[in-house]
Amino acid sequence: MSLHPYFEIVVFVGVALIFPVMPLILAWMWRRFFQPPKPGAAKNATYECGMESLGEAQIQFRSQYYLYAIIFLIFDVEAVFLVPFAVAFTGLPVGAFLSILVFLLLLIEGLVWAWGKGCLNWAK
Amino acid sequence: MGDEIDEGLRSELQRQGIWVTSMQELYNWGRKNSIWPLQFGLACCAIEMIATAASRYDIARFGAEVFRPSPRQADLMIVAGTVTKKMAPQIVRLYNQMPDPKYVIAMGACAISGGPFKQGYNVLKGIDRYIPVDVYIPGCPPRPEALLHAFMELQRKIDNQKLSGPNKSDHLDREHPSEYPVPAFGKHDLVPRANPDVFRPPQIERV
Ligand code: SF4
């Protein structure tokens, strides 16, 4: 009998699903049949370090944080792509080379812009 | 479910290779061997608590090495150190945020009574004024062995908790509160100075 080559993966996924879901179901049944839930103001509060909670957990971040996002993309995400690019450099077809150039160009544009805005200066 | 198994019958079965248990025993066995303490220390006693968790005393042998940084994941609060009046409301709030069932060990003279700083204007004279304490450890500071002993006492207590019947464990009792009022900062002291539902010191009767 020959099994499908992906059969083991299906078993793996099945076990990986059962493993976390079973305890959740057991916990839910435990709560349902034995242990009465006791919610309360402090228990349901947002913050959990002993201080009084202020406001909601679902807050919006200010749009000013876009600068951090840009700089993160330039210095972290770009590096992740640059390493495989450098490793495979000699064997790259023209199309792949051009597309990575476009990607770099887009990010360099962001770098120039952030530089011009003075984000890279040390705060004095 | 909560019915006790006859000891004679159990050992008889065990001799035949059959292991009998009850829901209650299984539940308590699991709970008592995976008590996760809340990770916080208040004063010098916390150093002893840290030593207890480190390799020499190794509280991991009792399944309690997983110190949780969030009250939402903790079963046990080890009040290790001096509770100042500024800190007391935060501790009560942390206790309130822990899910049931929850236990408290008051570690050291400070946590159980104010200790050497009892006369201090800003020291709470025992955390049991606001939250129920399960095990008290005297000492200044108690040695790690003392904390381990308290821990084993707590395990013994958990082992004896009932799942059903009139004496069932507090966390299964719908009426038993899970949160206690957080004291507020008053003009001179915390208000109220103690929670009468929790704090019942022995009365001295003079005749
Ligand atoms: S009981 Fe002693 S060792 Fe523990 S916190 Fe108080 S003063 Fe420090």
Side-chain angles (χ1 to χ4, degrees):
Chain A
M1 194 184 83
S2 78
L3 289 169
H4 192 277
Y6 282 170
F7 178 73
E8 283 166 19
I9 297 195
V10 173
V11 173
F12 184 78
V13 169
V15 172
L17 276 180
I18 291 171
F19 213 71
V21 170
M22 265 315 281
L24 287 180
I25 293 176
L26 281 179
W28 180 84
M29 284 189 356
W30 186 263
R31 196 212 61 154
R32 177 81 182 67
F33 295 112
F34 294 107
Q35 186 165 342
K38 294 177 183 172
K43 238 184 216 174
N44 293 340
T46 311
Y47 196 52
E48 52 187 29
C49 292
M51 294 304 174
E52 247 171 306
S53 306
L54 299 175
E56 292 292 306
Q58 284 80 17
I59 54 164
Q60 290 182 332
F61 286 98
R62 290 173 176 272
S63 55
Q64 276 96 317
Y65 286 118
Y66 77 101
L67 274 178
Y68 294 95
I70 286 182
I71 296 196
F72 175 74
L73 277 182
I74 294 171
F75 289 110
D76 277 356
V77 179
E78 188 183 9
V80 170
F81 283 100
L82 271 184
V83 172
F85 172 63
V87 170
F89 185 70
T90 46
L92 279 187
V94 181
F97 184 73
L98 283 183
S99 49
I100 196 83
L101 272 195
V102 170
F103 173 70
L104 284 186
L105 211 68
L106 283 174
L107 285 178
I108 287 172
E109 194 187 344
L111 179 62
V112 170
W113 188 77
W115 201 329
K117 230 175 165 271
C119 309
L120 300 188
N121 297 337
W122 285 108
K124 293 216 177 68
Chain B
M1 197 182 75
D3 303 323
E4 301 297 324
I5 306 168
D6 180 50
E7 277 305 320
L9 178 64
R10 190 210 296 254
S11 65
E12 182 63 34
L13 281 170
Q14 221 158 31
R15 228 169 294 137
Q16 306 298 324
I18 302 174
W19 188 63
V20 204
T21 185
S22 64
M23 185 85 157
Q24 175 178 305
E25 280 177 19
L26 207 61
Y27 175 64
N28 287 342
W29 171 79
R31 281 187 324 136
K32 80 169 191 210
N33 289 307
S34 64
I35 303 176
W36 291 2
L38 183 58
Q39 184 180 38
F40 79 108
L42 295 171
C44 5
C45 273
I47 303 289
E48 299 296 308
M49 182 179 73
I50 295 163
T52 317
S55 49
R56 191 176 179 101
Y57 297 100
D58 202 12
I59 205 170
R61 292 174 294 158
F62 301 88
E65 77 281 16
V66 199
F67 277 80
R68 303 314 295 177
S70 160
R72 308 237 154 99
Q73 302 162 356
D75 307 305
L76 166 66
M77 173 182 256
I78 303 177
V79 185
T82 323
V83 186
T84 58
K85 284 178 184 165
K86 184 133 192 185
M87 196 63 194
Q90 273 70 263
I91 292 182
V92 177
R93 211 172 281 122
L94 281 176
Y95 177 81
N96 287 348
Q97 286 181 337
M98 285 163 58
D100 285 280
K102 47 190 167 186
Y103 304 93
V104 179
I105 290 180
M107 178 181 184
C110 286
I112 68 180
S113 68
F117 313 114
K118 188 172 166 63
Q119 312 295 330
Y121 66 96
N122 194 30
V123 172
L124 187 71
K125 282 118 193 106
I127 190 61
D128 55 355
R129 282 163 189 253
Y130 295 114
I131 55 179
V133 174
D134 294 285
V135 186
Y136 296 84
I137 322 174
C140 177
R143 285 192 48 85
E145 291 96 331
L147 181 55
L148 287 180
H149 182 213
F151 200 78
M152 286 154 72
E153 286 299 325
L154 183 65
Q155 286 187 320
R156 212 160 291 144
K157 172 170 181 167
I158 292 176
D159 214 15
N160 287 328
Q161 286 190 319
K162 300 268 177 288
L163 264 190
S164 54
N167 295 328
K168 70 179 169 192
S169 170
D170 287 343
H171 70 279
L172 301 172
D173 182 0
R174 198 169 287 277
E175 304 307 322
H176 197 271
S178 163
E179 296 194 12
Y180 291 94
V182 180
F185 299 125
K187 195 161 175 237
H188 300 296
D189 201 349
L190 288 172
V191 189
R193 298 185 62 183
N195 180 357
D197 296 336
V198 179
F199 188 53
R200 292 188 211 91
Q203 296 297 323
I204 299 171
E205 276 181 35
R206 293 180 210 280
V207 282

mmCIF file of all heavy atoms in Angstrom, chain B residues 157-192:
data_model
loop_
_atom_site.group_PDB
_atom_site.id
_atom_site.type_symbol
_atom_site.label_atom_id
_atom_site.label_comp_id
_atom_site.label_asym_id
_atom_site.label_seq_id
_atom_site.Cartn_x
_atom_site.Cartn_y
_atom_site.Cartn_z
ATOM 1 N N LYS B 157 -2.789 21.186 51.272
ATOM 2 C CA LYS B 157 -4.104 21.819 51.360
ATOM 3 C C LYS B 157 -4.892 21.593 50.069
ATOM 4 O O LYS B 157 -6.070 21.234 50.096
ATOM 5 C CB LYS B 157 -3.931 23.319 51.603
ATOM 6 C CG LYS B 157 -5.222 24.080 51.518
ATOM 7 C CD LYS B 157 -5.104 25.498 51.976
ATOM 8 C CE LYS B 157 -6.472 26.150 51.874
ATOM 9 N NZ LYS B 157 -6.540 27.418 52.559
ATOM 10 N N ILE B 158 -4.211 21.776 48.947
ATOM 11 C CA ILE B 158 -4.892 21.586 47.664
ATOM 12 C C ILE B 158 -5.344 20.140 47.533
ATOM 13 O O ILE B 158 -6.445 19.860 47.050
ATOM 14 C CB ILE B 158 -3.942 21.971 46.514
ATOM 15 C CG1 ILE B 158 -3.689 23.471 46.520
ATOM 16 C CG2 ILE B 158 -4.514 21.550 45.175
ATOM 17 C CD1 ILE B 158 -2.699 23.925 45.498
ATOM 18 N N ASP B 159 -4.494 19.225 47.981
ATOM 19 C CA ASP B 159 -4.820 17.813 47.878
ATOM 20 C C ASP B 159 -6.094 17.475 48.640
ATOM 21 O O ASP B 159 -6.828 16.565 48.273
ATOM 22 C CB ASP B 159 -3.650 16.990 48.431
ATOM 23 C CG ASP B 159 -3.497 15.694 47.677
ATOM 24 O OD1 ASP B 159 -4.090 15.599 46.586
ATOM 25 O OD2 ASP B 159 -2.789 14.804 48.167
ATOM 26 N N ASN B 160 -6.369 18.223 49.706
ATOM 27 C CA ASN B 160 -7.530 17.906 50.538
ATOM 28 C C ASN B 160 -8.779 18.668 50.136
ATOM 29 O O ASN B 160 -9.801 18.556 50.800
ATOM 30 C CB ASN B 160 -7.204 18.198 52.000
ATOM 31 C CG ASN B 160 -6.248 17.161 52.550
ATOM 32 O OD1 ASN B 160 -6.274 16.011 52.138
ATOM 33 N ND2 ASN B 160 -5.380 17.587 53.450
ATOM 34 N N GLN B 161 -8.695 19.484 49.095
ATOM 35 C CA GLN B 161 -9.881 20.257 48.725
ATOM 36 C C GLN B 161 -10.904 19.355 48.047
ATOM 37 O O GLN B 161 -10.561 18.466 47.276
ATOM 38 C CB GLN B 161 -9.478 21.422 47.822
ATOM 39 C CG GLN B 161 -8.783 22.504 48.624
ATOM 40 C CD GLN B 161 -8.595 23.772 47.826
ATOM 41 O OE1 GLN B 161 -8.258 23.729 46.664
ATOM 42 N NE2 GLN B 161 -8.815 24.909 48.463
ATOM 43 N N LYS B 162 -12.171 19.632 48.361
ATOM 44 C CA LYS B 162 -13.249 18.782 47.854
ATOM 45 C C LYS B 162 -13.852 19.379 46.592
ATOM 46 O O LYS B 162 -13.951 20.589 46.449
ATOM 47 C CB LYS B 162 -14.338 18.649 48.920
ATOM 48 C CG LYS B 162 -13.832 18.026 50.205
ATOM 49 C CD LYS B 162 -14.023 16.540 50.195
ATOM 50 C CE LYS B 162 -13.470 15.895 51.438
ATOM 51 N NZ LYS B 162 -11.996 15.886 51.488
ATOM 52 N N LEU B 163 -14.239 18.489 45.711
ATOM 53 C CA LEU B 163 -14.877 18.939 44.470
ATOM 54 C C LEU B 163 -16.361 19.165 44.645
ATOM 55 O O LEU B 163 -16.968 19.921 43.899
ATOM 56 C CB LEU B 163 -14.681 17.878 43.384
ATOM 57 C CG LEU B 163 -13.528 18.054 42.431
ATOM 58 C CD1 LEU B 163 -13.653 17.070 41.300
ATOM 59 C CD2 LEU B 163 -13.500 19.454 41.884
ATOM 60 N N SER B 164 -16.970 18.470 45.595
ATOM 61 C CA SER B 164 -18.413 18.604 45.750
ATOM 62 C C SER B 164 -18.759 18.465 47.227
ATOM 63 O O SER B 164 -17.878 18.265 48.052
ATOM 64 C CB SER B 164 -19.124 17.518 44.929
ATOM 65 O OG SER B 164 -18.619 16.256 45.295
ATOM 66 N N GLY B 165 -20.027 18.577 47.511
ATOM 67 C CA GLY B 165 -20.458 18.445 48.895
ATOM 68 C C GLY B 165 -20.435 19.786 49.601
ATOM 69 O O GLY B 165 -20.060 20.798 49.021
ATOM 70 N N PRO B 166 -20.859 19.771 50.867
ATOM 71 C CA PRO B 166 -20.962 21.043 51.593
ATOM 72 C C PRO B 166 -19.611 21.694 51.843
ATOM 73 O O PRO B 166 -19.524 22.910 51.958
ATOM 74 C CB PRO B 166 -21.641 20.655 52.906
ATOM 75 C CG PRO B 166 -21.444 19.182 53.036
ATOM 76 C CD PRO B 166 -21.350 18.642 51.646
ATOM 77 N N ASN B 167 -18.527 20.910 51.922
ATOM 78 C CA ASN B 167 -17.207 21.477 52.204
ATOM 79 C C ASN B 167 -16.384 21.683 50.948
ATOM 80 O O ASN B 167 -15.163 21.674 50.983
ATOM 81 C CB ASN B 167 -16.433 20.555 53.151
ATOM 82 C CG ASN B 167 -17.100 20.491 54.492
ATOM 83 O OD1 ASN B 167 -17.708 21.458 54.919
ATOM 84 N ND2 ASN B 167 -17.020 19.342 55.128
ATOM 85 N N LYS B 168 -17.068 21.853 49.820
ATOM 86 C CA LYS B 168 -16.283 21.932 48.587
ATOM 87 C C LYS B 168 -15.430 23.193 48.572
ATOM 88 O O LYS B 168 -15.690 24.160 49.293
ATOM 89 C CB LYS B 168 -17.201 21.870 47.373
ATOM 90 C CG LYS B 168 -18.072 23.078 47.155
ATOM 91 C CD LYS B 168 -18.899 22.857 45.896
ATOM 92 C CE LYS B 168 -19.971 23.922 45.794
ATOM 93 N NZ LYS B 168 -20.949 23.621 44.788
ATOM 94 N N SER B 169 -14.422 23.116 47.730
ATOM 95 C CA SER B 169 -13.436 24.196 47.673
ATOM 96 C C SER B 169 -14.092 25.541 47.342
ATOM 97 O O SER B 169 -15.080 25.601 46.617
ATOM 98 C CB SER B 169 -12.409 23.832 46.615
ATOM 99 O OG SER B 169 -11.579 24.913 46.363
ATOM 100 N N ASP B 170 -13.508 26.604 47.880
ATOM 101 C CA ASP B 170 -14.108 27.932 47.730
ATOM 102 C C ASP B 170 -14.301 28.342 46.276
ATOM 103 O O ASP B 170 -15.293 28.978 45.940
ATOM 104 C CB ASP B 170 -13.215 28.974 48.409
ATOM 105 C CG ASP B 170 -13.299 28.884 49.909
ATOM 106 O OD1 ASP B 170 -14.270 28.266 50.390
ATOM 107 O OD2 ASP B 170 -12.420 29.432 50.590
ATOM 108 N N HIS B 171 -13.344 27.978 45.435
ATOM 109 C CA HIS B 171 -13.457 28.467 44.059
ATOM 110 C C HIS B 171 -14.587 27.804 43.300
ATOM 111 O O HIS B 171 -14.975 28.273 42.230
ATOM 112 C CB HIS B 171 -12.127 28.306 43.318
ATOM 113 C CG HIS B 171 -11.762 26.887 43.008
ATOM 114 N ND1 HIS B 171 -11.193 26.056 43.923
ATOM 115 C CD2 HIS B 171 -11.879 26.165 41.878
ATOM 116 C CE1 HIS B 171 -10.975 24.878 43.365
ATOM 117 N NE2 HIS B 171 -11.387 24.914 42.131
ATOM 118 N N LEU B 172 -15.123 26.700 43.836
ATOM 119 C CA LEU B 172 -16.254 26.051 43.181
ATOM 120 C C LEU B 172 -17.577 26.539 43.757
ATOM 121 O O LEU B 172 -18.643 26.193 43.254
ATOM 122 C CB LEU B 172 -16.150 24.533 43.346
ATOM 123 C CG LEU B 172 -14.876 23.942 42.767
ATOM 124 C CD1 LEU B 172 -14.751 22.482 43.137
ATOM 125 C CD2 LEU B 172 -14.868 24.103 41.265
ATOM 126 N N ASP B 173 -17.491 27.324 44.802
ATOM 127 C CA ASP B 173 -18.687 27.830 45.465
ATOM 128 C C ASP B 173 -19.101 29.140 44.799
ATOM 129 O O ASP B 173 -18.347 30.104 44.768
ATOM 130 C CB ASP B 173 -18.359 28.063 46.946
ATOM 131 C CG ASP B 173 -19.570 28.538 47.713
ATOM 132 O OD1 ASP B 173 -20.647 28.672 47.088
ATOM 133 O OD2 ASP B 173 -19.438 28.784 48.918
ATOM 134 N N ARG B 174 -20.307 29.122 44.266
ATOM 135 C CA ARG B 174 -20.762 30.278 43.492
ATOM 136 C C ARG B 174 -20.821 31.547 44.343
ATOM 137 O O ARG B 174 -20.602 32.644 43.850
ATOM 138 C CB ARG B 174 -22.148 29.963 42.915
ATOM 139 C CG ARG B 174 -22.573 30.848 41.781
ATOM 140 C CD ARG B 174 -23.812 30.295 41.126
ATOM 141 N NE ARG B 174 -23.524 29.097 40.328
ATOM 142 C CZ ARG B 174 -23.073 29.156 39.079
ATOM 143 N NH1 ARG B 174 -22.857 30.311 38.514
ATOM 144 N NH2 ARG B 174 -22.843 28.057 38.410
ATOM 145 N N GLU B 175 -21.099 31.370 45.624
ATOM 146 C CA GLU B 175 -21.295 32.549 46.474
ATOM 147 C C GLU B 175 -19.977 33.135 46.963
ATOM 148 O O GLU B 175 -19.917 34.290 47.354
ATOM 149 C CB GLU B 175 -22.148 32.179 47.700
ATOM 150 C CG GLU B 175 -23.483 31.557 47.348
ATOM 151 C CD GLU B 175 -24.268 32.409 46.385
ATOM 152 O OE1 GLU B 175 -24.214 33.648 46.540
ATOM 153 O OE2 GLU B 175 -24.905 31.845 45.476
ATOM 154 N N HIS B 176 -18.932 32.328 46.962
ATOM 155 C CA HIS B 176 -17.674 32.801 47.526
ATOM 156 C C HIS B 176 -17.038 33.853 46.618
ATOM 157 O O HIS B 176 -16.885 33.616 45.424
ATOM 158 C CB HIS B 176 -16.720 31.626 47.722
ATOM 159 C CG HIS B 176 -15.586 31.940 48.639
ATOM 160 N ND1 HIS B 176 -14.409 32.479 48.201
ATOM 161 C CD2 HIS B 176 -15.472 31.841 49.979
ATOM 162 C CE1 HIS B 176 -13.610 32.675 49.230
ATOM 163 N NE2 HIS B 176 -14.230 32.299 50.324
ATOM 164 N N PRO B 177 -16.673 35.009 47.177
ATOM 165 C CA PRO B 177 -16.151 36.068 46.305
ATOM 166 C C PRO B 177 -14.771 35.716 45.761
ATOM 167 O O PRO B 177 -14.006 34.986 46.391
ATOM 168 C CB PRO B 177 -16.069 37.284 47.233
ATOM 169 C CG PRO B 177 -15.954 36.717 48.589
ATOM 170 C CD PRO B 177 -16.721 35.425 48.588
ATOM 171 N N SER B 178 -14.503 36.229 44.586
ATOM 172 C CA SER B 178 -13.206 36.015 43.966
ATOM 173 C C SER B 178 -12.372 37.291 44.010
ATOM 174 O O SER B 178 -11.162 37.252 43.872
ATOM 175 C CB SER B 178 -13.431 35.569 42.526
ATOM 176 O OG SER B 178 -12.279 35.717 41.759
ATOM 177 N N GLU B 179 -13.042 38.411 44.189
ATOM 178 C CA GLU B 179 -12.325 39.681 44.303
ATOM 179 C C GLU B 179 -12.643 40.307 45.650
ATOM 180 O O GLU B 179 -13.736 40.145 46.172
ATOM 181 C CB GLU B 179 -12.775 40.644 43.196
ATOM 182 C CG GLU B 179 -12.429 40.158 41.815
ATOM 183 C CD GLU B 179 -12.570 41.241 40.762
ATOM 184 O OE1 GLU B 179 -12.709 42.426 41.141
ATOM 185 O OE2 GLU B 179 -12.537 40.888 39.571
ATOM 186 N N TYR B 180 -11.679 40.987 46.192
ATOM 187 C CA TYR B 180 -11.876 41.671 47.459
ATOM 188 C C TYR B 180 -11.687 43.162 47.257
ATOM 189 O O TYR B 180 -10.942 43.572 46.371
ATOM 190 C CB TYR B 180 -10.895 41.132 48.513
ATOM 191 C CG TYR B 180 -11.239 39.722 48.891
ATOM 192 C CD1 TYR B 180 -10.647 38.647 48.262
ATOM 193 C CD2 TYR B 180 -12.222 39.471 49.843
ATOM 194 C CE1 TYR B 180 -10.992 37.356 48.577
ATOM 195 C CE2 TYR B 180 -12.576 38.180 50.168
ATOM 196 C CZ TYR B 180 -11.963 37.123 49.538
ATOM 197 O OH TYR B 180 -12.321 35.850 49.843
ATOM 198 N N PRO B 181 -12.382 43.972 48.054
ATOM 199 C CA PRO B 181 -12.310 45.424 47.848
ATOM 200 C C PRO B 181 -10.873 45.929 47.965
ATOM 201 O O PRO B 181 -10.130 45.520 48.854
ATOM 202 C CB PRO B 181 -13.185 45.997 48.955
ATOM 203 C CG PRO B 181 -13.907 44.875 49.559
ATOM 204 C CD PRO B 181 -13.308 43.595 49.114
ATOM 205 N N VAL B 182 -10.526 46.802 47.043
ATOM 206 C CA VAL B 182 -9.191 47.389 47.049
ATOM 207 C C VAL B 182 -9.209 48.591 47.990
ATOM 208 O O VAL B 182 -10.048 49.472 47.847
ATOM 209 C CB VAL B 182 -8.806 47.846 45.627
ATOM 210 C CG1 VAL B 182 -7.412 48.455 45.624
ATOM 211 C CG2 VAL B 182 -8.869 46.680 44.659
ATOM 212 N N PRO B 183 -8.306 48.626 48.974
ATOM 213 C CA PRO B 183 -8.301 49.783 49.873
ATOM 214 C C PRO B 183 -7.860 51.041 49.137
ATOM 215 O O PRO B 183 -7.119 50.968 48.161
ATOM 216 C CB PRO B 183 -7.271 49.399 50.947
ATOM 217 C CG PRO B 183 -6.408 48.383 50.295
ATOM 218 C CD PRO B 183 -7.259 47.646 49.323
ATOM 219 N N ALA B 184 -8.333 52.164 49.618
ATOM 220 C CA ALA B 184 -7.996 53.442 48.989
ATOM 221 C C ALA B 184 -7.038 54.197 49.891
ATOM 222 O O ALA B 184 -6.935 53.927 51.088
ATOM 223 C CB ALA B 184 -9.263 54.252 48.747
ATOM 224 N N PHE B 185 -6.321 55.158 49.310
ATOM 225 C CA PHE B 185 -5.451 56.003 50.104
ATOM 226 C C PHE B 185 -6.309 57.040 50.827
ATOM 227 O O PHE B 185 -6.947 57.863 50.190
ATOM 228 C CB PHE B 185 -4.428 56.724 49.231
ATOM 229 C CG PHE B 185 -3.513 55.789 48.494
ATOM 230 C CD1 PHE B 185 -3.378 55.863 47.127
ATOM 231 C CD2 PHE B 185 -2.786 54.834 49.186
ATOM 232 C CE1 PHE B 185 -2.533 55.000 46.454
ATOM 233 C CE2 PHE B 185 -1.941 53.968 48.519
ATOM 234 C CZ PHE B 185 -1.816 54.052 47.148
ATOM 235 N N GLY B 186 -6.313 56.980 52.159
ATOM 236 C CA GLY B 186 -7.057 57.975 52.921
ATOM 237 C C GLY B 186 -6.154 59.116 53.332
ATOM 238 O O GLY B 186 -5.026 59.239 52.856
ATOM 239 N N LYS B 187 -6.649 59.915 54.252
ATOM 240 C CA LYS B 187 -5.857 61.072 54.651
ATOM 241 C C LYS B 187 -4.624 60.635 55.447
ATOM 242 O O LYS B 187 -3.526 61.140 55.238
ATOM 243 C CB LYS B 187 -6.733 61.996 55.506
ATOM 244 C CG LYS B 187 -6.128 63.366 55.668
ATOM 245 C CD LYS B 187 -7.182 64.382 56.096
ATOM 246 C CE LYS B 187 -6.542 65.722 56.366
ATOM 247 N NZ LYS B 187 -6.812 66.213 57.723
ATOM 248 N N HIS B 188 -4.819 59.692 56.373
ATOM 249 C CA HIS B 188 -3.697 59.260 57.199
ATOM 250 C C HIS B 188 -3.350 57.798 57.002
ATOM 251 O O HIS B 188 -2.272 57.365 57.365
ATOM 252 C CB HIS B 188 -4.023 59.463 58.681
ATOM 253 C CG HIS B 188 -4.293 60.895 59.005
ATOM 254 N ND1 HIS B 188 -3.343 61.854 58.876
ATOM 255 C CD2 HIS B 188 -5.420 61.507 59.419
ATOM 256 C CE1 HIS B 188 -3.861 63.027 59.216
ATOM 257 N NE2 HIS B 188 -5.120 62.838 59.540
ATOM 258 N N ASP B 189 -4.270 57.024 56.480
ATOM 259 C CA ASP B 189 -4.088 55.575 56.455
ATOM 260 C C ASP B 189 -4.893 55.029 55.280
ATOM 261 O O ASP B 189 -5.592 55.780 54.605
ATOM 262 C CB ASP B 189 -4.607 54.992 57.782
ATOM 263 C CG ASP B 189 -3.993 53.620 58.050
ATOM 264 O OD1 ASP B 189 -3.362 53.072 57.136
ATOM 265 O OD2 ASP B 189 -4.162 53.124 59.174
ATOM 266 N N LEU B 190 -4.765 53.732 55.075
ATOM 267 C CA LEU B 190 -5.594 53.127 54.050
ATOM 268 C C LEU B 190 -7.026 53.063 54.555
ATOM 269 O O LEU B 190 -7.272 52.874 55.746
ATOM 270 C CB LEU B 190 -5.091 51.720 53.742
ATOM 271 C CG LEU B 190 -3.779 51.652 52.963
ATOM 272 C CD1 LEU B 190 -3.280 50.231 52.897
ATOM 273 C CD2 LEU B 190 -3.968 52.202 51.570
ATOM 274 N N VAL B 191 -7.971 53.236 53.649
ATOM 275 C CA VAL B 191 -9.382 53.168 54.011
ATOM 276 C C VAL B 191 -10.021 52.043 53.222
ATOM 277 O O VAL B 191 -9.953 52.061 51.997
ATOM 278 C CB VAL B 191 -10.106 54.493 53.675
ATOM 279 C CG1 VAL B 191 -11.503 54.489 54.242
ATOM 280 C CG2 VAL B 191 -9.293 55.672 54.185
ATOM 281 N N PRO B 192 -10.631 51.046 53.848
ATOM 282 C CA PRO B 192 -10.680 50.796 55.287
ATOM 283 C C PRO B 192 -9.336 50.244 55.779
ATOM 284 O O PRO B 192 -8.513 49.821 54.991
ATOM 285 C CB PRO B 192 -11.773 49.739 55.404
ATOM 286 C CG PRO B 192 -11.701 48.988 54.127
ATOM 287 C CD PRO B 192 -11.324 49.988 53.076
#
